[in-house]
Amino acid sequence: MIFFKRNNKFSFLWVILSFITFVFVELFLGGFVGQVLIGKYISISLKLTIQALLHLSSFFIGGVIIGILSPGIRIWEPAIAAFLSVGIMFSISMFTPYSYISFSQEKMLIGGCIAFFLSRMGARLGERVVGNRP
């Protein structure tokens, strides 16, 4: 399924589409799958662990989706979009009064790198599924 002309140049459009894909995948995983996995009577630690795993898996799954849908080879676009989405999420924490979710560059860098590599691995897998060789 190809939406745009086939080329391998870097595309800011696919960065934006990747970002939107990550948001929708996370909303689906958190809103639907998370509600199924998390029952009423579980510990807070388990709930946070499941939420973190769903959040991390959304970057990988979103990368796979972009790898399958995009024309040409799109490895860097979803990875950059994942890093940016983590940056935006952490920038929201600058406005919260809670000290345990305070903004720090180290948290943003570590989280961004994890999201970057997960989405890049997902995009590589998606490209291989459709027959592209990144």
Side-chain angles (χ1 to χ4, degrees):
M1 182 180 219
I2 297 176
F3 290 109
F4 301 99
K5 67 179 182 173
R6 181 173 288 276
N7 65 15
N8 291 333
K9 294 180 184 176
F10 185 83
S11 170
F12 286 106
L13 175 64
W14 279 99
V15 172
I16 294 167
L17 292 173
S18 298
F19 182 83
I20 293 168
T21 302
F22 292 135
V23 170
F24 280 113
V25 169
E26 174 126 21
L27 287 173
F28 174 75
L29 288 178
F32 179 70
V33 177
Q35 295 302 319
V36 171
L37 291 176
I38 299 173
K40 287 184 176 180
Y41 305 106
I42 64 169
S43 70
I44 293 173
S45 299
L46 180 60
K47 185 176 181 177
L48 290 173
T49 302
I50 291 171
Q51 288 174 347
L53 290 174
L54 289 174
H55 182 67
L56 290 173
S57 64
S58 71
F59 292 117
F60 182 79
I61 293 168
V64 171
I65 292 170
I66 294 300
I68 290 172
L69 296 180
S70 67
I73 298 175
R74 300 281 175 228
I75 301 294
W76 296 105
E77 289 86 346
I80 291 169
F83 191 90
L84 290 175
S85 68
V86 169
I88 288 172
M89 190 260 318
F90 272 110
S91 68
I92 292 170
S93 70
M94 291 191 303
F95 302 105
T96 60
Y98 305 111
S99 62
Y100 62 93
I101 53 174
S102 63
F103 178 80
S104 82
Q105 291 179 348
E106 294 83 17
K107 288 180 190 178
M108 189 179 80
L109 186 62
I110 291 169
C113 287
I114 292 170
F116 181 91
F117 288 112
L118 283 173
S119 64
R120 191 166 188 275
M121 288 185 336
R124 287 179 64 89
L125 178 64
E127 293 291 347
R128 288 185 183 195
V129 165
V130 295
N132 293 338
R133 300 208 52 162

